[in-house]
């Protein structure tokens, strides 16, 4: 079956999907923005798991991702990925951001998960311009999905109107509407 890509406006911590993605930092021990919201809602078990991973592998570099349980969240797993800090666009930001989406999908696929929700990685504290980030996110997910047939549903969760409008536009421009073509 084809994977479905949808766009919603809302709070990612509320979603009952197989995995939600966290826009973390390389220390993996929580922070503000969506990271703070996820850790608050998940409770201390999530931080414990993150601490264990950070202790073992010394955190997580930008562009990479790790997977944990979800504590008290309604989803099954949390995939923590570290987006690039925007430094003007000439420091490999686009490739690092694309890598966040690719690696997160790869981890979800390896874990046998079928549905995954992404926040707008790097577009908050890390300052990535929203339109450019949305394009890279959307294109990377669309290009990667055919390589991971186990994933049936991807949700882009937008927390603000501007991002929601950008993603809606990208979705509408996609051949075949909101469903991946044959
Ligand atoms: N649900 C969905 N999206 C959200 C939520 C939520 N509950 N809360 C915020 N967003 P940011 P970054 C959106 O700053 O730019 C943290 O301190 C938000 O509107 O969370 O990758 C980490 O620890 C924005 O569109 O992440 C890192 O230090 C998007 O999530 C640093 O921030 C990402 O904004 C990472 O910065």
């Amino acid at each position: 079956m084809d994977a479905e890509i949808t766009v919603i406006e809302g709070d990612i911590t509320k979603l009952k999907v197989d995995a939600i993605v966290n826009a973390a930092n390389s220390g993996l021990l929580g922070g503000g923005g969506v990271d703070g919201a996820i850790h608050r809602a998940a409770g201390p078990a999530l931080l414990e798991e993150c601490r264990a991973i950070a202790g073992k592998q010394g955190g997580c570099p930008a562009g990479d991702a790790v997977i944990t349980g979800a504590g008290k969240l309604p989803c099954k797993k949390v995939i923590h990925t570290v987006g690039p800090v925007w430094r003007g666009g000439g420091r490999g930001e686009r490739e690092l951001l694309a890598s966040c989406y690719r690696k997160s999908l790869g981890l979800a696929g390896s874990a046998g998960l079928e549905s995954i929700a992404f926040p707008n990685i790097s577009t908050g504290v890390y300052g990535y311009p929203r339109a450019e980030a949305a394009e890279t996110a959307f294109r990377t997910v669309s290009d990667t999905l055919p390589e991971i047939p186990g994933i049936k549903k991807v949700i882009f969760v937008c927390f603000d109107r501007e991002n929601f409008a950008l993603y809606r536009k990208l979705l509408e421009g996609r051949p075949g509407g909101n469903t991946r073509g044959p």
Side-chain angles (χ1 to χ4, degrees):
M1 218 188 87
D2 296 336
E4 183 193 7
I5 297 180
T6 58
V7 175
I8 63 169
E9 190 177 359
D11 179 352
I12 202 166
T13 65
K14 309 283 188 217
L15 298 187
K16 277 190 196 152
V17 286
D18 287 346
I20 65 169
V21 176
N22 181 18
N25 58 61
S26 47
L28 291 179
L29 300 182
V34 70
D35 194 7
I38 287 172
H39 276 280
R40 268 195 306 280
L46 184 64
L47 187 58
E48 274 317 305
E49 276 194 72
C50 288
R51 193 168 278 138
I53 294 172
K56 206 165 11 167
Q57 64 182 56
C60 180
D64 212 342
V66 300
I67 187 166
T68 64
K72 293 188 286 182
L73 287 164
C75 57
K76 294 180 190 155
K77 295 280 184 187
V78 178
I79 293 169
H80 309 259
T81 190
V82 181
V85 175
W86 180 258
R87 292 199 174 91
R91 306 276 188 93
E93 290 95 330
R94 186 204 297 231
E95 188 39 49
L96 287 170
L97 187 63
S99 173
C100 289
Y101 286 92
R102 265 198 308 272
K103 294 230 168 138
S104 298
L105 289 171
L107 284 177
S110 303
L113 306 178
E114 294 189 353
S115 55
I116 178 168
F118 285 98
N120 308 135
I121 300 162
S122 281
T123 66
V125 175
Y126 283 179
Y128 208 111
R130 287 181 169 89
E132 278 131 50
E135 250 172 63
T136 294
F138 204 86
R139 179 155 357 105
T140 305
V141 167
S142 301
D143 290 352
T144 308
L145 275 176
E147 297 159 22
I148 310 175
I151 296 180
K152 307 294 182 212
K153 186 167 190 174
V154 176
I155 306 171
F156 288 110
V157 184
C158 304
F159 204 57
D160 60 81
R161 275 276 143 86
E162 195 186 330
N163 265 316
F164 183 59
L166 284 165
Y167 276 86
R168 284 292 298 268
K169 216 167 181 186
L170 288 163
L171 191 64
E172 279 157 18
R174 190 170 184 249
N178 71 345
T179 307
R180 186 172 49 154

